Amino acid sequence: MARHWHLLCGVLALTFLVGCAQAGAERASTPEASASDQTLGEDFRTLRARQGHFSGGSWNRDLDQWQGQKHRTMQELLKRILAGGYDATRMSALLGEPDRILQPADPDYGYPLEQTQWQGQPEGDLWLYHWRGAHDQLVFAVKDGRVLAGGWLYAGE
């Protein structure tokens, strides 16, 4: 009986080590955000918390103006997320939770899917991050935890 117990403990220890190695390999395949990405994400979250004209406040050129600070920050984040191999978990940690998530069965799904200026091939859920309220938005297509595409949904005035 003692021999079987040692054998069982050995098998469990080996199984644990293999599981740890696999988890480490998965984490290694999705690199952590760089310090500059983290700083940019913090800038976005700070700007996002402020109210501009399109979210019930007064006009604020940093938040509301074309190529204002918030717009430029979001453009750079789009570029870095698509180039950096971000998955949905890392993107959410960087940007915060989306303002809205649309699933393919949602009645409002077609408009952003068709009207967004996509980089990549969109499919799956659409994660919307407001730039100027729901007026203009940064959209990411996420399927099975992977960010497949991103782009801008502008009101088109």
Side-chain angles (χ1 to χ4, degrees), residues 64-103:
D64 300 315
Q65 184 174 324
W66 183 266
Q67 296 300 321
Q69 183 182 3
K70 186 176 180 185
H71 190 204
R72 288 189 321 268
T73 300
M74 293 175 79
Q75 289 171 328
E76 185 63 25
L77 283 164
L78 170 64
K79 185 169 55 172
R80 291 184 188 199
I81 288 168
L82 293 179
Y86 276 77
D87 63 14
T89 301
R90 286 182 55 233
M91 181 176 71
S92 180
L94 186 66
L95 301 177
E97 291 298 315
D99 293 297
R100 187 170 182 196
I101 296 177
L102 293 174
Q103 298 176 329

PDB file of all heavy atoms in Angstrom, residues 64-103:
ATOM      1  N   ASP A  64     -13.099  66.305 -26.656  1.00  0.00           N
ATOM      2  CA  ASP A  64     -14.107  66.369 -27.709  1.00  0.00           C
ATOM      3  C   ASP A  64     -13.569  66.727 -29.090  1.00  0.00           C
ATOM      4  O   ASP A  64     -14.202  66.400 -30.097  1.00  0.00           O
ATOM      5  CB  ASP A  64     -15.180  67.396 -27.330  1.00  0.00           C
ATOM      6  CG  ASP A  64     -15.884  67.045 -26.028  1.00  0.00           C
ATOM      7  OD1 ASP A  64     -16.244  65.868 -25.854  1.00  0.00           O
ATOM      8  OD2 ASP A  64     -16.062  67.949 -25.188  1.00  0.00           O
ATOM      9  N   GLN A  65     -12.474  67.392 -29.155  1.00  0.00           N
ATOM     10  CA  GLN A  65     -11.966  67.892 -30.434  1.00  0.00           C
ATOM     11  C   GLN A  65     -11.348  66.769 -31.263  1.00  0.00           C
ATOM     12  O   GLN A  65     -10.692  65.876 -30.729  1.00  0.00           O
ATOM     13  CB  GLN A  65     -10.907  68.971 -30.175  1.00  0.00           C
ATOM     14  CG  GLN A  65     -10.382  69.623 -31.427  1.00  0.00           C
ATOM     15  CD  GLN A  65      -9.460  70.783 -31.079  1.00  0.00           C
ATOM     16  OE1 GLN A  65      -9.689  71.492 -30.106  1.00  0.00           O
ATOM     17  NE2 GLN A  65      -8.432  70.955 -31.865  1.00  0.00           N
ATOM     18  N   TRP A  66     -11.575  66.847 -32.596  1.00  0.00           N
ATOM     19  CA  TRP A  66     -10.907  65.940 -33.528  1.00  0.00           C
ATOM     20  C   TRP A  66      -9.403  66.086 -33.324  1.00  0.00           C
ATOM     21  O   TRP A  66      -8.893  67.212 -33.305  1.00  0.00           O
ATOM     22  CB  TRP A  66     -11.300  66.300 -34.955  1.00  0.00           C
ATOM     23  CG  TRP A  66     -10.719  65.373 -35.972  1.00  0.00           C
ATOM     24  CD1 TRP A  66      -9.562  65.544 -36.666  1.00  0.00           C
ATOM     25  CD2 TRP A  66     -11.262  64.138 -36.406  1.00  0.00           C
ATOM     26  NE1 TRP A  66      -9.342  64.493 -37.502  1.00  0.00           N
ATOM     27  CE2 TRP A  66     -10.373  63.597 -37.367  1.00  0.00           C
ATOM     28  CE3 TRP A  66     -12.410  63.409 -36.077  1.00  0.00           C
ATOM     29  CZ2 TRP A  66     -10.601  62.380 -37.998  1.00  0.00           C
ATOM     30  CZ3 TRP A  66     -12.628  62.204 -36.713  1.00  0.00           C
ATOM     31  CH2 TRP A  66     -11.738  61.705 -37.659  1.00  0.00           C
ATOM     32  N   GLN A  67      -8.719  64.999 -33.134  1.00  0.00           N
ATOM     33  CA  GLN A  67      -7.291  64.946 -32.842  1.00  0.00           C
ATOM     34  C   GLN A  67      -6.934  65.601 -31.500  1.00  0.00           C
ATOM     35  O   GLN A  67      -5.784  65.986 -31.289  1.00  0.00           O
ATOM     36  CB  GLN A  67      -6.443  65.539 -33.982  1.00  0.00           C
ATOM     37  CG  GLN A  67      -6.548  64.765 -35.275  1.00  0.00           C
ATOM     38  CD  GLN A  67      -6.093  63.320 -35.141  1.00  0.00           C
ATOM     39  OE1 GLN A  67      -5.127  63.014 -34.464  1.00  0.00           O
ATOM     40  NE2 GLN A  67      -6.806  62.410 -35.800  1.00  0.00           N
ATOM     41  N   GLY A  68      -7.929  65.687 -30.609  1.00  0.00           N
ATOM     42  CA  GLY A  68      -7.654  66.117 -29.237  1.00  0.00           C
ATOM     43  C   GLY A  68      -6.905  65.002 -28.515  1.00  0.00           C
ATOM     44  O   GLY A  68      -6.668  63.907 -29.054  1.00  0.00           O
ATOM     45  N   GLN A  69      -6.554  65.238 -27.287  1.00  0.00           N
ATOM     46  CA  GLN A  69      -5.726  64.282 -26.538  1.00  0.00           C
ATOM     47  C   GLN A  69      -6.375  62.902 -26.429  1.00  0.00           C
ATOM     48  O   GLN A  69      -5.719  61.879 -26.625  1.00  0.00           O
ATOM     49  CB  GLN A  69      -5.424  64.837 -25.141  1.00  0.00           C
ATOM     50  CG  GLN A  69      -4.515  63.938 -24.334  1.00  0.00           C
ATOM     51  CD  GLN A  69      -4.254  64.469 -22.935  1.00  0.00           C
ATOM     52  OE1 GLN A  69      -4.791  65.490 -22.526  1.00  0.00           O
ATOM     53  NE2 GLN A  69      -3.422  63.765 -22.198  1.00  0.00           N
ATOM     54  N   LYS A  70      -7.664  62.839 -26.125  1.00  0.00           N
ATOM     55  CA  LYS A  70      -8.340  61.546 -25.978  1.00  0.00           C
ATOM     56  C   LYS A  70      -8.375  60.803 -27.316  1.00  0.00           C
ATOM     57  O   LYS A  70      -8.119  59.599 -27.368  1.00  0.00           O
ATOM     58  CB  LYS A  70      -9.749  61.735 -25.425  1.00  0.00           C
ATOM     59  CG  LYS A  70     -10.450  60.428 -25.102  1.00  0.00           C
ATOM     60  CD  LYS A  70     -11.818  60.682 -24.466  1.00  0.00           C
ATOM     61  CE  LYS A  70     -12.534  59.395 -24.135  1.00  0.00           C
ATOM     62  NZ  LYS A  70     -13.909  59.662 -23.640  1.00  0.00           N
ATOM     63  N   HIS A  71      -8.685  61.506 -28.393  1.00  0.00           N
ATOM     64  CA  HIS A  71      -8.746  60.894 -29.719  1.00  0.00           C
ATOM     65  C   HIS A  71      -7.381  60.330 -30.113  1.00  0.00           C
ATOM     66  O   HIS A  71      -7.269  59.176 -30.548  1.00  0.00           O
ATOM     67  CB  HIS A  71      -9.228  61.936 -30.732  1.00  0.00           C
ATOM     68  CG  HIS A  71      -9.563  61.379 -32.078  1.00  0.00           C
ATOM     69  ND1 HIS A  71      -9.527  62.159 -33.206  1.00  0.00           N
ATOM     70  CD2 HIS A  71      -9.925  60.148 -32.500  1.00  0.00           C
ATOM     71  CE1 HIS A  71      -9.874  61.425 -34.250  1.00  0.00           C
ATOM     72  NE2 HIS A  71     -10.112  60.198 -33.844  1.00  0.00           N
ATOM     73  N   ARG A  72      -6.328  61.115 -29.943  1.00  0.00           N
ATOM     74  CA  ARG A  72      -4.973  60.656 -30.281  1.00  0.00           C
ATOM     75  C   ARG A  72      -4.547  59.463 -29.419  1.00  0.00           C
ATOM     76  O   ARG A  72      -3.923  58.525 -29.919  1.00  0.00           O
ATOM     77  CB  ARG A  72      -3.960  61.797 -30.131  1.00  0.00           C
ATOM     78  CG  ARG A  72      -4.075  62.869 -31.203  1.00  0.00           C
ATOM     79  CD  ARG A  72      -2.912  63.864 -31.158  1.00  0.00           C
ATOM     80  NE  ARG A  72      -2.471  64.234 -29.827  1.00  0.00           N
ATOM     81  CZ  ARG A  72      -2.923  65.281 -29.129  1.00  0.00           C
ATOM     82  NH1 ARG A  72      -3.848  66.064 -29.650  1.00  0.00           N
ATOM     83  NH2 ARG A  72      -2.450  65.555 -27.933  1.00  0.00           N
ATOM     84  N   THR A  73      -4.899  59.518 -28.141  1.00  0.00           N
ATOM     85  CA  THR A  73      -4.558  58.414 -27.238  1.00  0.00           C
ATOM     86  C   THR A  73      -5.245  57.137 -27.687  1.00  0.00           C
ATOM     87  O   THR A  73      -4.623  56.057 -27.739  1.00  0.00           O
ATOM     88  CB  THR A  73      -4.953  58.767 -25.785  1.00  0.00           C
ATOM     89  OG1 THR A  73      -4.239  59.939 -25.387  1.00  0.00           O
ATOM     90  CG2 THR A  73      -4.651  57.633 -24.832  1.00  0.00           C
ATOM     91  N   MET A  74      -6.512  57.225 -28.043  1.00  0.00           N
ATOM     92  CA  MET A  74      -7.260  56.045 -28.495  1.00  0.00           C
ATOM     93  C   MET A  74      -6.718  55.532 -29.830  1.00  0.00           C
ATOM     94  O   MET A  74      -6.660  54.316 -30.051  1.00  0.00           O
ATOM     95  CB  MET A  74      -8.752  56.373 -28.586  1.00  0.00           C
ATOM     96  CG  MET A  74      -9.385  56.635 -27.220  1.00  0.00           C
ATOM     97  SD  MET A  74     -11.107  57.161 -27.315  1.00  0.00           S
ATOM     98  CE  MET A  74     -11.922  55.577 -27.580  1.00  0.00           C
ATOM     99  N   GLN A  75      -6.321  56.424 -30.717  1.00  0.00           N
ATOM    100  CA  GLN A  75      -5.732  55.994 -31.992  1.00  0.00           C
ATOM    101  C   GLN A  75      -4.453  55.202 -31.746  1.00  0.00           C
ATOM    102  O   GLN A  75      -4.216  54.165 -32.378  1.00  0.00           O
ATOM    103  CB  GLN A  75      -5.432  57.208 -32.872  1.00  0.00           C
ATOM    104  CG  GLN A  75      -6.661  57.867 -33.427  1.00  0.00           C
ATOM    105  CD  GLN A  75      -6.346  59.186 -34.107  1.00  0.00           C
ATOM    106  OE1 GLN A  75      -5.427  59.910 -33.736  1.00  0.00           O
ATOM    107  NE2 GLN A  75      -7.148  59.517 -35.125  1.00  0.00           N
ATOM    108  N   GLU A  76      -3.625  55.677 -30.846  1.00  0.00           N
ATOM    109  CA  GLU A  76      -2.370  54.981 -30.541  1.00  0.00           C
ATOM    110  C   GLU A  76      -2.647  53.639 -29.865  1.00  0.00           C
ATOM    111  O   GLU A  76      -1.979  52.643 -30.154  1.00  0.00           O
ATOM    112  CB  GLU A  76      -1.471  55.863 -29.665  1.00  0.00           C
ATOM    113  CG  GLU A  76      -0.112  55.272 -29.403  1.00  0.00           C
ATOM    114  CD  GLU A  76       0.743  55.071 -30.646  1.00  0.00           C
ATOM    115  OE1 GLU A  76       0.538  55.790 -31.663  1.00  0.00           O
ATOM    116  OE2 GLU A  76       1.626  54.195 -30.624  1.00  0.00           O
ATOM    117  N   LEU A  77      -3.630  53.595 -28.983  1.00  0.00           N
ATOM    118  CA  LEU A  77      -3.986  52.329 -28.337  1.00  0.00           C
ATOM    119  C   LEU A  77      -4.489  51.310 -29.363  1.00  0.00           C
ATOM    120  O   LEU A  77      -4.135  50.127 -29.289  1.00  0.00           O
ATOM    121  CB  LEU A  77      -5.027  52.560 -27.243  1.00  0.00           C
ATOM    122  CG  LEU A  77      -4.474  53.144 -25.949  1.00  0.00           C
ATOM    123  CD1 LEU A  77      -5.600  53.704 -25.084  1.00  0.00           C
ATOM    124  CD2 LEU A  77      -3.660  52.113 -25.191  1.00  0.00           C
ATOM    125  N   LEU A  78      -5.293  51.751 -30.310  1.00  0.00           N
ATOM    126  CA  LEU A  78      -5.759  50.864 -31.375  1.00  0.00           C
ATOM    127  C   LEU A  78      -4.569  50.247 -32.101  1.00  0.00           C
ATOM    128  O   LEU A  78      -4.501  49.031 -32.282  1.00  0.00           O
ATOM    129  CB  LEU A  78      -6.644  51.629 -32.357  1.00  0.00           C
ATOM    130  CG  LEU A  78      -7.013  50.909 -33.653  1.00  0.00           C
ATOM    131  CD1 LEU A  78      -7.855  49.669 -33.392  1.00  0.00           C
ATOM    132  CD2 LEU A  78      -7.736  51.866 -34.600  1.00  0.00           C
ATOM    133  N   LYS A  79      -3.635  51.085 -32.479  1.00  0.00           N
ATOM    134  CA  LYS A  79      -2.456  50.621 -33.201  1.00  0.00           C
ATOM    135  C   LYS A  79      -1.668  49.600 -32.365  1.00  0.00           C
ATOM    136  O   LYS A  79      -1.290  48.543 -32.859  1.00  0.00           O
ATOM    137  CB  LYS A  79      -1.583  51.822 -33.567  1.00  0.00           C
ATOM    138  CG  LYS A  79      -0.383  51.485 -34.415  1.00  0.00           C
ATOM    139  CD  LYS A  79       0.323  52.713 -34.980  1.00  0.00           C
ATOM    140  CE  LYS A  79       0.736  53.695 -33.927  1.00  0.00           C
ATOM    141  NZ  LYS A  79       1.569  54.792 -34.428  1.00  0.00           N
ATOM    142  N   ARG A  80      -1.439  49.915 -31.112  1.00  0.00           N
ATOM    143  CA  ARG A  80      -0.633  49.040 -30.256  1.00  0.00           C
ATOM    144  C   ARG A  80      -1.340  47.732 -29.933  1.00  0.00           C
ATOM    145  O   ARG A  80      -0.711  46.682 -29.872  1.00  0.00           O
ATOM    146  CB  ARG A  80      -0.247  49.765 -28.971  1.00  0.00           C
ATOM    147  CG  ARG A  80       0.738  50.888 -29.233  1.00  0.00           C
ATOM    148  CD  ARG A  80       1.168  51.528 -27.965  1.00  0.00           C
ATOM    149  NE  ARG A  80       1.954  52.726 -28.211  1.00  0.00           N
ATOM    150  CZ  ARG A  80       2.742  53.271 -27.306  1.00  0.00           C
ATOM    151  NH1 ARG A  80       2.873  52.740 -26.109  1.00  0.00           N
ATOM    152  NH2 ARG A  80       3.414  54.364 -27.595  1.00  0.00           N
ATOM    153  N   ILE A  81      -2.638  47.781 -29.703  1.00  0.00           N
ATOM    154  CA  ILE A  81      -3.388  46.554 -29.394  1.00  0.00           C
ATOM    155  C   ILE A  81      -3.365  45.612 -30.585  1.00  0.00           C
ATOM    156  O   ILE A  81      -3.125  44.411 -30.434  1.00  0.00           O
ATOM    157  CB  ILE A  81      -4.824  46.891 -28.945  1.00  0.00           C
ATOM    158  CG1 ILE A  81      -4.780  47.507 -27.534  1.00  0.00           C
ATOM    159  CG2 ILE A  81      -5.727  45.664 -28.989  1.00  0.00           C
ATOM    160  CD1 ILE A  81      -6.069  48.150 -27.090  1.00  0.00           C
ATOM    161  N   LEU A  82      -3.601  46.142 -31.783  1.00  0.00           N
ATOM    162  CA  LEU A  82      -3.611  45.279 -32.968  1.00  0.00           C
ATOM    163  C   LEU A  82      -2.213  44.749 -33.300  1.00  0.00           C
ATOM    164  O   LEU A  82      -2.066  43.611 -33.720  1.00  0.00           O
ATOM    165  CB  LEU A  82      -4.203  46.022 -34.164  1.00  0.00           C
ATOM    166  CG  LEU A  82      -5.691  46.358 -34.039  1.00  0.00           C
ATOM    167  CD1 LEU A  82      -6.162  47.109 -35.275  1.00  0.00           C
ATOM    168  CD2 LEU A  82      -6.543  45.122 -33.796  1.00  0.00           C
ATOM    169  N   ALA A  83      -1.186  45.562 -33.088  1.00  0.00           N
ATOM    170  CA  ALA A  83       0.179  45.135 -33.403  1.00  0.00           C
ATOM    171  C   ALA A  83       0.785  44.272 -32.301  1.00  0.00           C
ATOM    172  O   ALA A  83       1.687  43.479 -32.572  1.00  0.00           O
ATOM    173  CB  ALA A  83       1.069  46.357 -33.641  1.00  0.00           C
ATOM    174  N   GLY A  84       0.277  44.416 -31.074  1.00  0.00           N
ATOM    175  CA  GLY A  84       0.910  43.768 -29.928  1.00  0.00           C
ATOM    176  C   GLY A  84       0.371  42.406 -29.557  1.00  0.00           C
ATOM    177  O   GLY A  84       0.764  41.856 -28.539  1.00  0.00           O
ATOM    178  N   GLY A  85      -0.539  41.862 -30.338  1.00  0.00           N
ATOM    179  CA  GLY A  85      -1.057  40.539 -30.040  1.00  0.00           C
ATOM    180  C   GLY A  85      -1.873  40.467 -28.763  1.00  0.00           C
ATOM    181  O   GLY A  85      -1.856  39.462 -28.068  1.00  0.00           O
ATOM    182  N   TYR A  86      -2.590  41.520 -28.449  1.00  0.00           N
ATOM    183  CA  TYR A  86      -3.403  41.533 -27.240  1.00  0.00           C
ATOM    184  C   TYR A  86      -4.553  40.548 -27.345  1.00  0.00           C
ATOM    185  O   TYR A  86      -5.174  40.417 -28.404  1.00  0.00           O
ATOM    186  CB  TYR A  86      -3.978  42.929 -27.009  1.00  0.00           C
ATOM    187  CG  TYR A  86      -3.031  43.869 -26.306  1.00  0.00           C
ATOM    188  CD1 TYR A  86      -1.981  44.467 -26.985  1.00  0.00           C
ATOM    189  CD2 TYR A  86      -3.200  44.157 -24.968  1.00  0.00           C
ATOM    190  CE1 TYR A  86      -1.114  45.328 -26.342  1.00  0.00           C
ATOM    191  CE2 TYR A  86      -2.341  45.024 -24.309  1.00  0.00           C
ATOM    192  CZ  TYR A  86      -1.294  45.594 -25.005  1.00  0.00           C
ATOM    193  OH  TYR A  86      -0.444  46.439 -24.360  1.00  0.00           O
ATOM    194  N   ASP A  87      -4.856  39.883 -26.230  1.00  0.00           N
ATOM    195  CA  ASP A  87      -6.087  39.110 -26.156  1.00  0.00           C
ATOM    196  C   ASP A  87      -7.111  39.961 -25.402  1.00  0.00           C
ATOM    197  O   ASP A  87      -6.800  41.071 -24.946  1.00  0.00           O
ATOM    198  CB  ASP A  87      -5.869  37.746 -25.496  1.00  0.00           C
ATOM    199  CG  ASP A  87      -5.414  37.830 -24.044  1.00  0.00           C
ATOM    200  OD1 ASP A  87      -5.503  38.915 -23.425  1.00  0.00           O
ATOM    201  OD2 ASP A  87      -4.968  36.802 -23.517  1.00  0.00           O
ATOM    202  N   ALA A  88      -8.332  39.459 -25.293  1.00  0.00           N
ATOM    203  CA  ALA A  88      -9.407  40.244 -24.691  1.00  0.00           C
ATOM    204  C   ALA A  88      -9.121  40.591 -23.230  1.00  0.00           C
ATOM    205  O   ALA A  88      -9.401  41.709 -22.787  1.00  0.00           O
ATOM    206  CB  ALA A  88     -10.722  39.487 -24.806  1.00  0.00           C
ATOM    207  N   THR A  89      -8.542  39.673 -22.482  1.00  0.00           N
ATOM    208  CA  THR A  89      -8.254  39.914 -21.074  1.00  0.00           C
ATOM    209  C   THR A  89      -7.232  41.024 -20.909  1.00  0.00           C
ATOM    210  O   THR A  89      -7.419  41.941 -20.099  1.00  0.00           O
ATOM    211  CB  THR A  89      -7.742  38.619 -20.407  1.00  0.00           C
ATOM    212  OG1 THR A  89      -8.748  37.605 -20.554  1.00  0.00           O
ATOM    213  CG2 THR A  89      -7.431  38.820 -18.943  1.00  0.00           C
ATOM    214  N   ARG A  90      -6.164  40.971 -21.662  1.00  0.00           N
ATOM    215  CA  ARG A  90      -5.124  42.001 -21.571  1.00  0.00           C
ATOM    216  C   ARG A  90      -5.641  43.346 -22.065  1.00  0.00           C
ATOM    217  O   ARG A  90      -5.308  44.390 -21.511  1.00  0.00           O
ATOM    218  CB  ARG A  90      -3.889  41.588 -22.375  1.00  0.00           C
ATOM    219  CG  ARG A  90      -3.088  40.504 -21.683  1.00  0.00           C
ATOM    220  CD  ARG A  90      -1.840  40.109 -22.449  1.00  0.00           C
ATOM    221  NE  ARG A  90      -0.996  41.250 -22.721  1.00  0.00           N
ATOM    222  CZ  ARG A  90      -0.543  41.571 -23.941  1.00  0.00           C
ATOM    223  NH1 ARG A  90      -0.830  40.837 -24.975  1.00  0.00           N
ATOM    224  NH2 ARG A  90       0.219  42.613 -24.116  1.00  0.00           N
ATOM    225  N   MET A  91      -6.457  43.330 -23.130  1.00  0.00           N
ATOM    226  CA  MET A  91      -7.000  44.580 -23.643  1.00  0.00           C
ATOM    227  C   MET A  91      -7.922  45.224 -22.605  1.00  0.00           C
ATOM    228  O   MET A  91      -7.857  46.431 -22.364  1.00  0.00           O
ATOM    229  CB  MET A  91      -7.764  44.344 -24.947  1.00  0.00           C
ATOM    230  CG  MET A  91      -8.327  45.622 -25.546  1.00  0.00           C
ATOM    231  SD  MET A  91      -9.124  45.382 -27.136  1.00  0.00           S
ATOM    232  CE  MET A  91     -10.606  44.508 -26.658  1.00  0.00           C
ATOM    233  N   SER A  92      -8.750  44.423 -21.964  1.00  0.00           N
ATOM    234  CA  SER A  92      -9.651  44.935 -20.939  1.00  0.00           C
ATOM    235  C   SER A  92      -8.869  45.482 -19.744  1.00  0.00           C
ATOM    236  O   SER A  92      -9.243  46.509 -19.164  1.00  0.00           O
ATOM    237  CB  SER A  92     -10.602  43.826 -20.489  1.00  0.00           C
ATOM    238  OG  SER A  92     -11.487  44.289 -19.513  1.00  0.00           O
ATOM    239  N   ALA A  93      -7.771  44.830 -19.387  1.00  0.00           N
ATOM    240  CA  ALA A  93      -6.935  45.333 -18.299  1.00  0.00           C
ATOM    241  C   ALA A  93      -6.313  46.674 -18.680  1.00  0.00           C
ATOM    242  O   ALA A  93      -6.162  47.559 -17.829  1.00  0.00           O
ATOM    243  CB  ALA A  93      -5.849  44.319 -17.955  1.00  0.00           C
ATOM    244  N   LEU A  94      -5.974  46.835 -19.940  1.00  0.00           N
ATOM    245  CA  LEU A  94      -5.346  48.067 -20.407  1.00  0.00           C
ATOM    246  C   LEU A  94      -6.349  49.212 -20.526  1.00  0.00           C
ATOM    247  O   LEU A  94      -6.094  50.325 -20.071  1.00  0.00           O
ATOM    248  CB  LEU A  94      -4.673  47.821 -21.767  1.00  0.00           C
ATOM    249  CG  LEU A  94      -3.853  48.960 -22.340  1.00  0.00           C
ATOM    250  CD1 LEU A  94      -2.623  49.228 -21.475  1.00  0.00           C
ATOM    251  CD2 LEU A  94      -3.428  48.629 -23.765  1.00  0.00           C
ATOM    252  N   LEU A  95      -7.496  48.948 -21.136  1.00  0.00           N
ATOM    253  CA  LEU A  95      -8.475  49.995 -21.425  1.00  0.00           C
ATOM    254  C   LEU A  95      -9.572  50.138 -20.376  1.00  0.00           C
ATOM    255  O   LEU A  95     -10.233  51.173 -20.318  1.00  0.00           O
ATOM    256  CB  LEU A  95      -9.162  49.719 -22.766  1.00  0.00           C
ATOM    257  CG  LEU A  95      -8.294  49.638 -24.005  1.00  0.00           C
ATOM    258  CD1 LEU A  95      -9.139  49.290 -25.215  1.00  0.00           C
ATOM    259  CD2 LEU A  95      -7.553  50.935 -24.214  1.00  0.00           C
ATOM    260  N   GLY A  96      -9.789  49.105 -19.599  1.00  0.00           N
ATOM    261  CA  GLY A  96     -10.965  49.044 -18.746  1.00  0.00           C
ATOM    262  C   GLY A  96     -12.071  48.314 -19.498  1.00  0.00           C
ATOM    263  O   GLY A  96     -11.918  47.967 -20.674  1.00  0.00           O
ATOM    264  N   GLU A  97     -13.157  48.078 -18.830  1.00  0.00           N
ATOM    265  CA  GLU A  97     -14.277  47.386 -19.469  1.00  0.00           C
ATOM    266  C   GLU A  97     -14.857  48.253 -20.590  1.00  0.00           C
ATOM    267  O   GLU A  97     -14.879  49.480 -20.470  1.00  0.00           O
ATOM    268  CB  GLU A  97     -15.362  47.064 -18.441  1.00  0.00           C
ATOM    269  CG  GLU A  97     -14.950  46.002 -17.435  1.00  0.00           C
ATOM    270  CD  GLU A  97     -14.647  44.666 -18.075  1.00  0.00           C
ATOM    271  OE1 GLU A  97     -15.415  44.224 -18.941  1.00  0.00           O
ATOM    272  OE2 GLU A  97     -13.617  44.061 -17.708  1.00  0.00           O
ATOM    273  N   PRO A  98     -15.330  47.631 -21.659  1.00  0.00           N
ATOM    274  CA  PRO A  98     -15.938  48.424 -22.739  1.00  0.00           C
ATOM    275  C   PRO A  98     -17.213  49.120 -22.265  1.00  0.00           C
ATOM    276  O   PRO A  98     -17.857  48.683 -21.319  1.00  0.00           O
ATOM    277  CB  PRO A  98     -16.236  47.388 -23.824  1.00  0.00           C
ATOM    278  CG  PRO A  98     -16.131  46.062 -23.183  1.00  0.00           C
ATOM    279  CD  PRO A  98     -15.333  46.204 -21.930  1.00  0.00           C
ATOM    280  N   ASP A  99     -17.573  50.176 -22.966  1.00  0.00           N
ATOM    281  CA  ASP A  99     -18.821  50.875 -22.657  1.00  0.00           C
ATOM    282  C   ASP A  99     -20.026  50.038 -23.058  1.00  0.00           C
ATOM    283  O   ASP A  99     -21.090  50.149 -22.450  1.00  0.00           O
ATOM    284  CB  ASP A  99     -18.860  52.232 -23.374  1.00  0.00           C
ATOM    285  CG  ASP A  99     -17.803  53.167 -22.813  1.00  0.00           C
ATOM    286  OD1 ASP A  99     -17.894  53.509 -21.628  1.00  0.00           O
ATOM    287  OD2 ASP A  99     -16.875  53.526 -23.562  1.00  0.00           O
ATOM    288  N   ARG A 100     -19.828  49.206 -24.064  1.00  0.00           N
ATOM    289  CA  ARG A 100     -20.913  48.344 -24.534  1.00  0.00           C
ATOM    290  C   ARG A 100     -20.312  47.151 -25.255  1.00  0.00           C
ATOM    291  O   ARG A 100     -19.289  47.282 -25.925  1.00  0.00           O
ATOM    292  CB  ARG A 100     -21.821  49.128 -25.480  1.00  0.00           C
ATOM    293  CG  ARG A 100     -23.064  48.395 -25.888  1.00  0.00           C
ATOM    294  CD  ARG A 100     -24.023  49.299 -26.625  1.00  0.00           C
ATOM    295  NE  ARG A 100     -25.235  48.547 -26.949  1.00  0.00           N
ATOM    296  CZ  ARG A 100     -26.116  48.928 -27.834  1.00  0.00           C
ATOM    297  NH1 ARG A 100     -25.940  50.062 -28.491  1.00  0.00           N
ATOM    298  NH2 ARG A 100     -27.170  48.202 -28.093  1.00  0.00           N
ATOM    299  N   ILE A 101     -20.945  45.995 -25.109  1.00  0.00           N
ATOM    300  CA  ILE A 101     -20.569  44.805 -25.867  1.00  0.00           C
ATOM    301  C   ILE A 101     -21.801  44.363 -26.649  1.00  0.00           C
ATOM    302  O   ILE A 101     -22.876  44.185 -26.076  1.00  0.00           O
ATOM    303  CB  ILE A 101     -20.097  43.659 -24.952  1.00  0.00           C
ATOM    304  CG1 ILE A 101     -18.828  44.054 -24.206  1.00  0.00           C
ATOM    305  CG2 ILE A 101     -19.875  42.384 -25.764  1.00  0.00           C
ATOM    306  CD1 ILE A 101     -18.318  43.016 -23.218  1.00  0.00           C
ATOM    307  N   LEU A 102     -21.624  44.226 -27.953  1.00  0.00           N
ATOM    308  CA  LEU A 102     -22.701  43.735 -28.806  1.00  0.00           C
ATOM    309  C   LEU A 102     -22.351  42.330 -29.269  1.00  0.00           C
ATOM    310  O   LEU A 102     -21.244  42.090 -29.763  1.00  0.00           O
ATOM    311  CB  LEU A 102     -22.883  44.639 -30.029  1.00  0.00           C
ATOM    312  CG  LEU A 102     -23.386  46.049 -29.754  1.00  0.00           C
ATOM    313  CD1 LEU A 102     -23.373  46.875 -31.036  1.00  0.00           C
ATOM    314  CD2 LEU A 102     -24.792  46.002 -29.182  1.00  0.00           C
ATOM    315  N   GLN A 103     -23.298  41.429 -29.138  1.00  0.00           N
ATOM    316  CA  GLN A 103     -23.124  40.065 -29.627  1.00  0.00           C
ATOM    317  C   GLN A 103     -23.856  39.931 -30.956  1.00  0.00           C
ATOM    318  O   GLN A 103     -24.781  40.702 -31.240  1.00  0.00           O
ATOM    319  CB  GLN A 103     -23.647  39.078 -28.596  1.00  0.00           C
ATOM    320  CG  GLN A 103     -22.869  39.165 -27.297  1.00  0.00           C
ATOM    321  CD  GLN A 103     -23.427  38.268 -26.212  1.00  0.00           C
ATOM    322  OE1 GLN A 103     -24.628  38.015 -26.154  1.00  0.00           O
ATOM    323  NE2 GLN A 103     -22.555  37.804 -25.332  1.00  0.00           N
TER     324      GLN A 103
END
